[in-house]
Amino acid sequence: MISEQAKQRMRDLAARYPVARSAVMPSLYIAQQEEGYITHDGLRAVAEAIGLTVDDVESVATFYTMYYQQQPGKKVIKVCTSISCYLRNCDALVTRLEERLGIKRGETTADGNFTLMTAECLASCGTAPVLQVNDEFVENVTLEMSDALIDEWERELRGQEPGRGQASPLPYTASPTGS
Amino acid sequence: MPELIVTKDIDAPGLDTLDGYREHGGYQALEKVLKEYQPDDLVELMKKSGLRGRGGAGFPTGLKWSFLAKNDKPRYLCCNADESEPGTFKDRMLMEKNPHQLIEGVIITSYACRVTTAFIYVRGELAMAGRQVARAIDEAYAAGYTGKNILGSDYSLDVIMHRGAGAYICGEESALMESLEGRRGYPRLKPPFPAAVGVYGGPTVINNCETLSTIPAIIRNGADWYATFGTEKSKGTRVFCLSGHVKKPGNYELPLGTSLRTLIYDEQYGGGILDDKQIKAIIPGGSSTPMLGPDKLDTPLDFEAIAAAGSMAGSGGVVIMHEDTCIVDAVLRMSEFYRDESCGKCTPCREGTYWLTEILHRLEHGHGSQKDIDLLLDICDNISGKSFCPLGDAATSPIVSSIKLFRDEYEAHVREERCPFKREGLK
């Protein structure tokens, strides 16, 4: 379900741009925020807010990799595998994450907690290897760090279940530096 | 340490806030411009400064501004902050740490080009950079630096941040405009160029994030001051993004014309090669630029000298590979990038990048033949210059340059029917 509030935000965006159609991409982000991925309801809400056909909106949504076509895990881990991270052994990091999570790149764990993806150059080459979890950076990642991160995320996700304590903060927060 | 311009005070606490930016001279350039300059004067000033685009092509900024078509259609500015060239990580830093500097550059450029709506296209993956830019825009509106009648003048400007959503191709200017208009990021045929027919059909100026971030300092200190940095044809400083097998990777702002050797080996910058090994190959301007051998270490990092050495200054992403690097595997990795990021519009690029990757894969895994090496070059020849945009050309750069420099290594993979290199685990 796309909320009325979300639909209103889409209509506001359509009015904000010189041409309404430019609001397609930000509106798709709103739809994704509502439902976790791009659903048919999401496409229809965007199409109605902007005045396009559902097919037209879908053609945009399927071009860009950040619009998910299926429900991702609660933690979406993206490991950069482009040249600078490659030179700093990102492949060993991907393998370690695959082993720890019991899934291959591109897959989601059966409990719906983790999705593991590889990403193209994430503009963090000076602090390679790098990964993002739910779009926030973790830089200069070692294998030990990746183990600790998974432990921490698992504790955090268990903490979100009813009757458990609050999740503790991440041990390695994203550094704002690019250098 | 030479004088810093675009990264001056970059680590000062609070620089990313409006107050912090103002404490470091922020928005003084905008005030000066609105009081003392007519738009056309600024175009001349920028030509005099010698500033050239920091996105990849190195086109003179003032000249670009002067090319805007003179008609009655609304004009637009697009800031290209879709940083995704492998090996490049400067715009992310500039947006995260000093977003107001970029906003001030955007407003000044919009005034100079008589633009009434400016867009900042921020790469989708750079979530924090996007948040910083969005917040800075809100603060600039609230403080009267943008919006209606800026600082009491009769100039009004609307600034809109637009987030990308995962497509390298949108860093190409015509694909960026398509994306901004709410479409798939397919490049447009040029001409017409954006200066004539751009966003929504209006004359459009498209400048890179670092280029725009440099403009407030040029206004504050003057074009002559800026032109004292760098070389005769490559003025000023630029942020070099140093990565790969160096001891101290990172962003280093240096005058254009500084040698590769200084950037890589000087203790203040790269500090030398990991484990003091030998350099094997250098990518001087992002993965789309041809690689160079260690014999080019004394090349000055400016547009002309890098071109003379056989490559391009590109986006300033300097990637270093040492002696233990398997060139075939590294080139395979870069080819996979272009295969995945080809938008699919033009056949030579869509099919060619796929086959290049397949052939490199079989070579790397010991299933290739001698003929495959020439087949790679033949496919590159069939891609280069035969598509709408430069993505296909870029895909051929690492392959053609590496076969030229390291053909023996490709042949060793064929001869030994395996990769002669071993890879160590992550340390």
Side-chain angles (χ1 to χ4, degrees):
Chain A
M1 262 289 283
I2 306 290
S3 67
E4 190 47 46
Q5 197 192 6
K7 290 178 183 170
Q8 188 56 46
R9 283 172 65 203
M10 294 175 189
R11 287 191 287 268
D12 291 346
L13 277 166
R16 173 85 180 93
Y17 282 93
V19 174
R21 190 186 169 105
S22 285
V24 170
M25 288 175 66
S27 297
L28 282 167
Y29 273 125
I30 294 173
Q32 179 155 291
Q33 214 173 19
E34 290 278 297
E35 302 200 288
Y37 68 110
I38 302 296
T39 62
H40 188 75
D41 273 359
L43 292 172
R44 202 167 54 205
V46 174
E48 281 170 6
I50 298 171
L52 300 171
T53 64
V54 171
D55 287 351
D56 204 349
V57 176
E58 190 171 18
S59 84
V60 177
T62 51
F63 184 81
Y64 298 94
T65 57
M66 289 180 69
Y67 300 126
Y68 300 134
Q69 302 302 315
Q70 49 198 357
Q71 183 75 52
K74 289 176 190 143
K75 298 277 182 198
V76 179
I77 305 163
K78 293 179 188 168
V79 186
C80 176
T81 52
S82 287
I83 184 68
S84 298
C85 282
Y86 161 83
L87 294 172
R88 293 279 183 156
N89 276 319
C90 62
D91 291 3
L93 177 60
V94 175
T95 304
R96 183 68 151 248
L97 289 166
E98 285 178 337
E99 285 165 6
R100 275 295 310 265
L101 297 171
I103 49 173
K104 292 284 172 199
R105 59 190 82 184
E107 294 176 353
T108 300
T109 53
D111 58 10
N113 278 346
F114 296 99
T115 296
L116 180 64
M117 299 163 84
T118 53
E120 307 291 8
C121 184
L122 288 171
S124 196
C125 323
T127 46
V130 67
L131 61 79
Q132 286 186 328
V133 56
N134 294 353
D135 294 338
E136 301 303 328
F137 279 98
V138 189
E139 300 172 82
N140 292 312
V141 189
T142 60
L143 295 183
E144 293 72 28
M145 260 171 89
S146 72
D147 285 343
L149 280 166
I150 291 179
D151 291 343
E152 202 56 42
W153 293 330
E154 282 176 341
R155 271 199 295 279
E156 183 195 327
L157 291 169
R158 272 199 303 274
Q160 283 174 2
E161 287 165 17
R164 302 279 184 121
Q166 273 298 303
S168 54
L170 292 178
Y172 303 102
T173 49
S175 151
T177 66
S179 60
Chain B
M1 174 93 62
E3 189 166 348
L4 300 177
I5 298 174
V6 73
T7 61
K8 189 166 183 274
D9 304 320
I10 194 107
D11 289 313
L15 184 70
D16 62 331
T17 66
L18 180 62
D19 287 344
Y21 182 57
R22 280 195 291 218
E23 279 166 28
H24 289 88
Y27 290 106
Q28 284 173 8
L30 177 63
E31 291 184 26
K32 186 173 168 184
V33 157
L34 292 175
K35 272 188 212 141
E36 298 173 19
Y37 290 90
Q38 291 301 310
D40 293 345
D41 302 339
L42 287 169
V43 177
E44 289 310 309
L45 182 144
M46 212 44 65
K47 282 185 191 167
K48 210 171 137 198
S49 77
L51 178 66
R52 294 168 66 171
R54 300 292 188 246
F59 196 82
T61 305
L63 200 58
K64 190 182 245 189
W65 293 0
S66 72
F67 285 164
L68 282 171
K70 291 169 182 62
N71 55 35
D72 54 4
K73 289 183 180 154
R75 291 179 165 190
Y76 299 96
L77 166 70
C78 296
C79 166
N80 187 345
D82 191 41
E83 177 165 72
S84 12
E85 172 72 14
T88 315
F89 48 102
K90 62 193 173 65
D91 295 340
R92 176 183 156 216
M93 174 187 73
L94 292 170
M95 288 187 280
E96 288 182 351
K97 293 187 168 190
N98 199 354
H100 278 288
Q101 177 176 252
L102 170 63
I103 310 293
E104 189 178 10
V106 164
I107 301 166
I108 292 168
T109 303
S110 299
Y111 174 75
C113 297
R114 295 187 164 87
V115 159
T116 51
T117 307
F119 299 98
I120 303 178
Y121 190 105
V122 181
R123 184 175 174 201
E125 285 88 343
L126 309 183
M128 181 182 176
R131 285 197 299 274
Q132 290 284 72
V133 169
R135 184 180 51 78
I137 292 173
D138 289 346
E139 288 175 346
Y141 267 105
Y145 292 127
T146 190
K148 286 216 164 23
N149 300 104
I150 297 173
L151 298 173
S153 71
D154 56 6
Y155 178 62
S156 300
L157 173 70
D158 207 5
V159 180
I160 300 175
M161 189 195 83
H162 191 87
R163 273 186 78 194
Y168 168 73
I169 191 63
C170 293
E172 192 280 328
E173 60 182 15
S174 67
L176 184 150
M177 296 191 295
E178 285 289 302
S179 179
L180 193 54
E181 290 183 8
R183 297 189 175 84
R184 296 165 79 97
Y186 288 143
R188 299 176 182 172
L189 188 63
K190 292 188 269 191
F193 290 95
V197 183
V199 181
Y200 312 129
T204 301
V205 58
I206 302 174
N207 285 139
N208 163 262
C209 172
E210 183 189 352
T211 311
L212 291 167
S213 295
T214 306
I215 286 166
I218 297 177
I219 303 290
R220 280 199 307 273
N221 300 289
D224 293 334
W225 166 84
Y226 189 74
T228 60
F229 300 93
T231 66
E232 193 194 336
K233 287 184 176 166
S234 298
K235 303 287 191 199
T237 61
R238 83 176 296 177
V239 182
F240 293 101
C241 315
L242 184 62
S243 71
H245 293 145
V246 286
K247 288 181 183 167
K248 288 164 49 192
N251 280 320
Y252 299 105
E253 182 180 357
L254 290 164
L256 284 157
T258 305
S259 78
L260 263 170
R261 188 185 297 280
T262 302
L263 175 69
I264 297 165
Y265 285 98
D266 193 296
E267 286 304 319
Q268 298 176 84
Y269 315 118
I273 306 303
L274 280 179
D275 304 325
D276 295 316
K277 288 184 188 283
Q278 296 298 308
I279 288 192
K280 184 181 225 174
I282 304 158
I283 299 172
S287 73
S288 301
T289 62
M291 57 176 77
L292 301 171
D295 58 314
K296 306 289 186 192
L297 264 173
D298 290 307
T299 305
L301 287 160
D302 63 64
F303 295 103
E304 290 71 30
I306 301 175
S311 188
M312 288 181 283
S315 59
V318 181
V319 185
I320 307 301
M321 299 178 220
H322 69 32
E323 56 192 294
D324 295 347
T325 312
C326 170
I327 288 292
V328 178
D329 201 29
V331 170
L332 167 62
R333 188 56 58 102
M334 290 186 264
S335 290
E336 286 170 346
F337 173 86
Y338 295 102
R339 176 200 61 194
D340 293 348
E341 295 297 338
S342 173
C343 77
K345 177 168 175 160
C346 311
T347 312
C349 173
R350 181 187 65 235
E351 303 300 320
T353 52
Y354 171 80
W355 281 107
L356 289 174
T357 311
E358 290 294 300
I359 295 164
L360 282 163
H361 191 270
R362 70 179 181 234
L363 279 165
E364 169 61 16
H365 291 88
H367 309 303
S369 65
Q370 290 290 341
K371 276 195 293 190
D372 281 340
I373 305 169
D374 292 318
L375 185 56
L376 284 173
L377 293 174
D378 186 47
I379 295 172
C380 286
D381 188 47
N382 277 299
I383 296 174
S384 211
K386 295 178 178 69
S387 298
F388 271 46
C389 88
L391 189 144
D393 302 3
T396 68
S397 278
I399 297 171
V400 174
S401 61
S402 66
I403 293 178
K404 199 168 137 200
L405 290 170
F406 306 104
R407 193 177 179 112
D408 53 338
E409 209 170 299
Y410 280 86
E411 288 172 350
H413 280 74
V414 175
R415 207 171 41 243
E416 297 178 28
E417 296 184 347
R418 68 181 184 100
C419 173
F421 294 84
K422 274 190 230 160
R423 263 175 280 154
E424 292 169 29
L426 189 76
K427 288 191 184 115

